[in-house]
Amino acid sequence: MVDHTPNKPTLTNIMVTELLRTDNEVSTREAINRAVATLQSGEVVALPTETVYGLGADAMDPTAVEKIFAAKERPHFDPLIVHVPHKNAYLDICEVPAEIKHTIVQLVETFWPGPLTILLPKKGIVPDLVTAGLPTVGVRMSDHPVFKKVVKQLGHPIAAPSANRFGGLSPTSADAVLDQLEGAIPLIIDGGACGRGLESTIVRVLPPEAGPKPIIEIVRPGPITEDDLKKWGKVRFAKSNVDVESNAPEAPGQLASHYAPRTPLRVLSDPKDFSPEPGKKYGLLSYRGQSKDGYVDLHEWDEVRVLSPGSGRIAEAGIRFFSAIREMDQLALDELVSEPLPERGVGIAMMDKLRRASA
Ligand code: TXA
Ligand code: MG
C-alpha cells in the first residue's frame, strides 16, 4: 500500500508558517522587507528563484544555516549552494585559480544572473557547515526579481538549497513548498510559478588537458545546457560521484535516489514492457500526449499529464516537469509511469531526475 499522506512535520518542529504574496507593488515590498528582517534575525525563509523555490538563510551565520538542514531533514554531508547579491560578490567568498580565471569571468558575464552554479575553492569566511567541510563552494546569482531584491537588501550571500524535504520533489510553487515544509519554517514568499522549473546547472572548470580549451564539467545537468556552454570550453559530464554502498556523495553532487514522489515511479523505456496489474491505478507522464508515441493508448490510464502538448518543446516540458509529477503524486495512484524524454537540452536534466526518482 502506498502511503500518500503528505510529509507533514514531526512534533519537534511545529511552528506557524506564514505565506506572503507578491501580487502588487505594495505587497511585494512588504514581503521583501519581511524576508530580509527574518533572514537578519537568523531564521530561514522560502524564496522563489527562476529555477525552483529555495530555502534561504544568511550564509555567513552557521546557526541560521543549521536551521536549513533541520527543516529539510538534510544530512550534513550534503553541501548548500550560495546565492550572491551581485555579479562580483563571488570574489568575496571564493578563491579563483589563475589558470581558470578567464573562463570563470566569461561564464559569470554570460550566464549571471541565471541558472548556472559554479563550484570554486572557498575562502575561509564561508562556514564549513555550508560546504559540508568541502574545500569548494557552489555559487550562483539568481535572476528572480524577488530573490534579487532580497539578497541585495540583505547585502550578504544567502545559502539556499531547494525548499523540499530531503529526497523529495523540488518545489516550483509556493504551494509545493507549503506541502513539504509547513510547520517547519516561519515564512514563505510566494513569487508565483518558477519560470525555468528545473534546478540550476552545476559546473566545475578545470585547466586545459590537451589543446587550449579549459574543461567545463557538468556536475548536475540543468537549464544551461552542454550546447550553451561549449563556446567557453570543452564540455563533459562528471562521472557519477556517488559511493553506492553508503549512498553518501564522495565529493558530493547528487545522490542516487532523489527527487522522489511518494508514489513509485518508473521510466518505461519500451511500451512493450508494460504489464499492468489488475485493480491498480496508473498515471502516465507523457511528453507530447500523442498517440503515435505509443504510450497514451497503451493502457486506460487513470491520469495523464502532458508536459508539452502537440509537437513538443523540451524547454516547456522542463517548466511543467516537477508540477506535473507533484499533481499526480496527490491522486492516490499506485504507480507513475513516465515516457522516456528526448535526451537533448533540458531533457538530459529531466531524464537524470526521472532515473533518480525511480532508483
Ligand atoms: O537552482 C538551484 O540550484 C536551486 C535554487 C534554490 O537555487 N538550488 C538547489 O540546491 O538545487 P540543492 O541543495 O537542492 O542542490 C544543490 C546540489 C546538491 O546536490 C549538492 O550536493 C551540490 O549541489 N553541491 C553544493 N555544493 C557543492 C560542492 N561544493 N561540491 C559538489 N557539489 C555541491
Ligand atoms: Mg535539491
Side-chain angles (χ1 to χ4, degrees):
M1 191 54 207
V2 181
D3 178 12
H4 290 280
T5 48
N7 292 335
K8 287 298 176 197
T10 50
L11 282 171
T12 49
N13 57 11
I14 292 284
M15 63 170 88
V16 176
T17 301
E18 207 178 337
L19 193 143
L20 295 180
R21 300 169 66 97
T22 56
D23 40 15
N24 60 48
E25 227 180 279
V26 175
S27 65
T28 302
R29 202 176 322 117
E30 273 175 21
I32 289 168
N33 289 340
R34 280 285 302 285
V36 173
T38 306
L39 292 168
Q40 281 167 337
S41 74
E43 281 300 329
V44 296
V45 185
L47 295 163
T49 86
E50 76 280 37
T51 58
V52 302
Y53 274 69
L55 183 62
D58 183 333
M60 297 301 144
D61 177 351
T63 312
V65 171
E66 180 56 44
K67 292 179 185 169
I68 296 178
F69 286 94
K72 281 183 59 105
E73 295 167 17
R74 180 176 174 123
H76 286 97
F77 61 68
D78 201 0
L80 309 179
I81 290 176
V82 174
H83 300 65
V84 291
H86 57 87
K87 271 193 195 172
N88 288 328
Y90 73 99
L91 296 169
D92 301 337
I93 57 172
C94 302
E95 304 283 0
V96 186
E99 65 275 27
I100 60 167
K101 192 172 176 186
H102 183 60
T103 308
I104 298 298
V105 171
Q106 283 173 325
L107 294 178
V108 164
E109 287 303 323
T110 309
F111 298 108
W112 284 8
L116 183 73
T117 297
I118 307 174
L119 301 179
L120 283 166
K122 80 174 189 81
K123 282 192 172 164
I125 54 163
V126 180
D128 286 333
L129 184 62
V130 170
T131 64
L134 289 175
T136 54
V137 59
V139 278
R140 93 170 183 100
M141 181 183 175
S142 168
D143 194 26
H144 194 286
V146 171
F147 196 103
K148 277 202 285 200
K149 286 188 184 127
V150 170
V151 69
K152 210 168 168 193
Q153 201 166 309
L154 182 70
H156 259 211
I158 294 177
S162 51
N164 49 274
R165 294 263 165 174
F166 183 67
L169 293 172
S170 296
T172 55
S173 65
D175 263 7
V177 178
L178 203 59
D179 253 14
Q180 295 200 51
L181 294 178
E182 185 170 18
I185 60 173
L187 183 62
I188 300 172
I189 306 299
D190 185 348
C194 299
R196 297 283 197 152
L198 295 169
E199 304 90 338
S200 63
T201 304
I202 303 180
V203 297
R204 67 167 68 89
V205 177
L206 305 163
E209 281 171 356
K213 283 193 163 188
I215 315 285
I216 301 177
E217 197 169 74
I218 298 179
V219 175
R220 175 176 73 181
I224 305 294
T225 63
E226 186 180 5
D227 245 17
D228 298 326
L229 292 165
K230 69 183 181 204
K231 188 172 169 195
W232 312 108
K234 200 162 176 278
V235 183
R236 71 181 184 210
F237 287 86
K239 290 204 192 74
S240 170
N241 46 19
V242 171
D243 175 350
V244 183
E245 299 273 286
S246 65
N247 203 26
E250 283 170 1
Q254 303 196 58
L255 299 171
S257 170
H258 225 111
Y259 310 107
R262 290 177 284 267
T263 316
L265 180 150
R266 77 166 131 159
V267 185
L268 188 62
S269 303
D270 186 337
K272 285 200 286 296
D273 295 340
F274 186 58
S275 40
E277 288 178 44
K280 285 204 168 171
K281 291 180 162 182
Y282 294 89
L284 175 71
L285 188 67
S286 169
Y287 176 40
R288 311 186 301 169
Q290 296 212 343
S291 293
K292 65 180 175 203
D293 293 341
Y295 290 88
V296 178
D297 299 331
L298 185 64
H299 177 68
E300 284 215 21
W301 304 102
D302 292 273
E303 293 288 336
V304 178
R305 290 292 180 282
V306 181
L307 294 175
S308 181
S311 55
R313 293 276 180 277
I314 202 73
E316 182 189 21
I319 296 167
R320 294 201 177 142
F321 181 74
F322 279 122
S323 64
I325 297 176
R326 172 173 173 255
E327 272 176 41
M328 284 208 286
D329 199 22
Q330 293 173 330
L331 298 173
L333 300 165
D334 291 291
E335 192 173 8
L336 307 183
V337 174
S338 176
E339 291 179 18
L341 305 173
E343 293 200 64
R344 59 182 147 77
V346 294
I348 294 176
M350 286 186 279
M351 280 305 285
D352 179 59
K353 287 169 212 304
L354 286 172
R355 289 195 185 102
R356 287 171 203 278
S358 57

